[in-house]
Amino acid sequence: MVEDFYEYESKAEFGKSWELLSSEMKQRFPNRADYVQNRSHVFLQHMDVESFQYDVGHSKKVKNWKLDKSGRLHKTAYEIPVTQVFNSRFGMFTLKQNCYVVKEKGEWC
């Protein structure tokens, strides 16, 4: 799932990556078109990149995880480190981020 998400993101297929977000993340980005526009604006326009390389690390099981202080408690989640490398008009830079995957209605998101 994380591989799919970043593959879509790296190809600027932000609508497809939005579909993979959990319901909690979609509350932060309730409008798919706004998500697509914002991601496109930040990555493609501001940083002037067409794509990026990424590496998905090994998952680690996390118990009793919340997205934020007021978020829903998930008995089990998986923390997955992701490293993105951008070659932008500002030069090369690396973004490291932990992603969290949870199960909703039997599906990982």
Side-chain angles (χ1 to χ4, degrees):
M1 204 289 299
V2 174
E3 289 275 355
D4 290 345
F5 179 86
Y6 281 98
E7 185 66 21
Y8 292 144
E9 292 274 299
S10 73
K11 293 179 179 178
E13 295 177 356
F14 303 117
K16 289 181 179 179
S17 57
W18 181 87
E19 292 292 333
L20 298 177
L21 296 176
S22 69
S23 61
E24 288 179 284
M25 285 300 291
K26 285 181 180 174
Q27 288 176 2
R28 291 184 178 190
F29 306 101
N31 187 304
R32 179 182 172 179
D34 287 344
Y35 177 85
V36 170
Q37 182 179 357
N38 285 324
R39 297 296 279 191
S40 173
H41 184 72
V42 169
F43 290 110
L44 303 179
Q45 294 170 5
H46 274 308
M47 296 189 318
D48 196 22
V49 298
E50 293 179 13
S51 185
F52 59 86
Q53 301 296 317
Y54 64 93
D55 180 58
V56 176
H58 297 286
S59 64
K60 178 176 86 173
K61 190 174 186 176
V62 179
K63 293 183 179 183
N64 300 318
W65 180 82
K66 289 184 178 185
L67 179 63
D68 55 31
K69 290 179 184 177
S70 63
R72 190 177 90 199
L73 180 68
H74 298 273
K75 289 183 179 182
T76 302
Y78 287 89
E79 178 184 272
I80 304 162
V82 177
T83 303
Q84 297 167 271
V85 179
F86 299 88
N87 185 5
S88 77
R89 65 179 167 170
F90 302 106
M92 297 283 289
F93 65 95
T94 302
L95 174 65
K96 293 185 178 192
Q97 180 179 23
N98 285 330
C99 295
Y100 294 87
V101 178
V102 296
K103 216 173 213 183
E104 286 185 350
K105 299 179 183 175
E107 297 287 323
W108 289 103
C109 52

